[in-house]
Amino acid sequence: MRYRRLGGTGIEVSSYCLGAMMFGSEGNPDHDECIGMIHTALDAGINFIDTADAYGGDNGESEEIVGAALEGRRDEVVLATKVHFPMSDRPNHQGNSRLWITRAVEDSLRRLRTDRIDLYQVHRPDPHTDIEETLSVLSDLVHQGKIRAFGCSTFPVEEIVEAHRAAADHGLLRFRTEQPPYSILTRGIERTILPLAHRYRMGVLTWGPLGWGFLTGRIRRGEAIDLTTGRARHAPDRFNPDLPENQRKLDAVEELITLADELGCTLPQLAVAFPLAHPAVSSVILGPRTPEQLDGLLAGAELTLDDATLDRIDEIVPPGTDLIDLTWKPPSLTDPTLRRRPVPDRAASKSNRLSPDQQRVQA
């Protein structure tokens, strides 16, 4: 296994990172099998494991599994976890505030059975919390020795820039890594995030190399897609073959399968090798649910994509193109009230009058 430096942290991590999102009741409920997969990854030379408090359900199940697997092997591993998503229905058990992060890190340390977290990541932006508040508590945790470094995950470029400016202005430590979605079908970060990470010497650990399942080889043109199970159940519009944007994905998949056949590899192996070719990427997160999936991905570890192959991929999905958009959506896009003035204020003329129907709506 080849190792790369994680940005400017001085930490060296394997080119593959084992992601633990599928470990637990929301993926593989067999704890012993999940622990065996972690040991398989370590034995293969992977020294980087990524989980989150919210994985496996709202009780930190994935962290519990990882903690059990690392008993006696903790010092072999660069251990990463995350904070942000709700861990209960209580109002302050989520987000990026000092109050919650202070509590959440202690919970993660307990579940992971460790005295320190090597990389603690803010899982998503929090529009309700000042970035200085978040950076301040994370800086304190570094000084206390509870975390070695901290980063962000799926942050838009403007949020990363704002965080770096806030750190400089207030004398705080800064985000040292970013964890963005990146695959052959999700290449938008090549426009901004990856160049920015390179400029700021941020480590990059990418997630979603299999393109939400489209690059597993199981979703093909002309074959029925069950929209009631798996990822399709949560986001059916991303899979519905009747939508033109999904036809583009299926077209790309067929061309990529042909390319993988020519290379003598599987489509998932081709998909996982692709992000590793970018100079800004430190490690690619593998998120297997079963031992067979992990074994299949590890079997492609020696696959090298030459320039001719990367040129072919660029022809199929041009650089910077998102056929699958996995970016974080700020409230300014998801909340219509932030994009629409009250009806009486929308016209250029003050003499605008509402129709009777509009008046009833306003009432």
Side-chain angles (χ1 to χ4, degrees), residues 112-340:
L112 292 166
R113 307 184 192 184
T114 185
D115 62 349
R116 83 280 184 193
I117 294 165
D118 298 307
L119 178 62
Y120 198 50
Q121 300 159 99
V122 181
H123 215 151
R124 292 293 188 276
D126 181 357
H128 306 294
T129 302
D130 292 342
I131 191 61
E132 296 88 344
E133 167 99 354
T134 303
L135 295 176
S136 175
V137 63
L138 292 172
S139 297
D140 288 346
L141 292 173
V142 171
H143 297 319
Q144 295 165 13
K146 294 180 179 180
I147 64 177
R148 291 178 64 187
F150 58 85
C152 49
S153 176
T154 319
F155 270 47
V157 66
E158 64 272 14
E159 298 270 355
I160 297 174
V161 171
E162 180 185 358
H164 277 73
R165 285 183 175 174
D169 290 345
H170 297 276
L172 302 170
L173 299 179
R174 63 187 179 89
F175 286 136
R176 307 308 299 272
T177 64
E178 159 63 5
Q179 184 180 145
Y182 188 35
S183 75
I184 297 175
L185 302 182
T186 303
R187 302 186 61 176
I189 65 168
E190 293 172 342
R191 293 178 178 272
T192 54
I193 296 292
L194 292 180
L196 183 75
H198 181 74
R199 180 183 306 168
Y200 284 169
R201 294 188 69 202
M202 295 176 71
V204 176
L205 50 157
T206 63
W207 60 269
L210 299 185
W212 257 58
F214 275 90
L215 300 178
T216 62
R218 296 193 299 270
I219 300 176
R220 301 286 302 272
R221 175 175 295 287
E223 297 184 6
I225 300 175
D226 187 352
L227 300 179
T228 64
T229 61
R231 292 185 182 276
R233 177 170 61 89
H234 298 290
D237 285 348
R238 287 182 175 161
F239 294 86
N240 186 346
D242 295 332
L243 299 178
E245 59 267 30
N246 294 331
Q247 290 293 330
R248 291 185 62 199
K249 300 172 193 173
L250 294 172
D251 289 342
V253 166
E254 294 304 317
E255 293 187 66
L256 291 167
I257 288 175
T258 298
L259 177 57
D261 289 341
E262 293 173 2
L263 295 173
C265 66
T266 66
L267 179 58
Q269 290 169 354
L270 172 65
V272 169
F274 169 76
L276 287 171
H278 198 289
V281 173
S282 309
S283 188
V284 174
I285 299 174
L286 311 180
R289 182 177 54 84
T290 67
E292 293 75 20
Q293 291 173 354
L294 176 60
D295 291 342
L297 294 173
L298 291 176
E302 295 183 359
L303 178 62
T304 299
L305 304 185
D306 60 19
D307 287 345
T309 300
L310 293 174
D311 289 343
R312 287 276 301 278
I313 292 174
D314 287 350
E315 293 172 358
I316 297 169
V317 181
T321 300
D322 277 336
L323 295 187
I324 302 176
D325 183 5
L326 299 175
T327 56
W328 177 75
K329 302 297 188 298
S332 58
L333 296 181
T334 59
D335 184 352
T337 64
L338 299 179
R339 294 182 279 107
R340 300 173 184 174

